[in-house]
Amino acid sequence: MTLPHLVSYFIGGAFLTNAMPHFVRGVTGLPFQTPFASPPGRGLSTSTLNVLWGFLNLIVFYLLVCQVGDFGLRDAADVAALGLGMLAMGLFAARHFGPLHGGDLRAPQ
């Protein structure tokens, strides 16, 4: 395990977290934001595009975690790096998309 491997697992965790909402919204037939919408990241994209975008994120996750180094589920450092990447992307997504979907209960600015 080296620092570049841990960074790869961190980024892989972020891609895994990003894949989930896109793929789930897509397979349930619902639109969701993608970088290809207008405006990017705020407008809605089709369910088909979301399935494709989610699947691409899963491929990148696989490449970063399963093809870089020797990721081990029993290696605390590997799992921590992956988990922290998931947490970082999850918190970013919650803050970014919360105001768009009613998940941000703070008073409007």
Side-chain angles (χ1 to χ4, degrees):
M1 162 193 56
T2 65
L3 183 60
H5 292 156
L6 294 176
V7 170
S8 178
Y9 303 155
F10 179 89
I11 296 169
F15 273 93
L16 175 60
T17 299
N18 194 49
M20 288 186 266
H22 292 287
F23 195 79
V24 169
R25 293 285 294 213
V27 299
T28 56
L30 299 170
F32 194 65
Q33 291 81 12
T34 68
F36 313 108
S38 180
R42 295 209 176 266
L44 297 175
S45 293
T46 66
S47 56
T48 302
L49 182 58
N50 272 283
V51 168
L52 295 171
W53 183 239
F55 193 75
L56 178 63
N57 276 263
L58 285 173
I59 291 170
V60 173
F61 156 75
Y62 171 77
L63 293 173
L64 289 171
V65 174
C66 299
Q67 298 297 313
V68 173
D70 187 22
F71 181 84
L73 281 175
R74 294 180 184 216
D75 186 326
D78 291 356
V79 172
L82 180 81
L84 287 173
M86 293 178 72
L87 178 62
M89 179 56 87
L91 291 172
F92 168 79
R95 300 287 295 179
H96 180 76
F97 295 112
L100 302 176
H101 295 281
D104 186 354
L105 301 178
R106 296 175 293 159
Q109 309 282 337

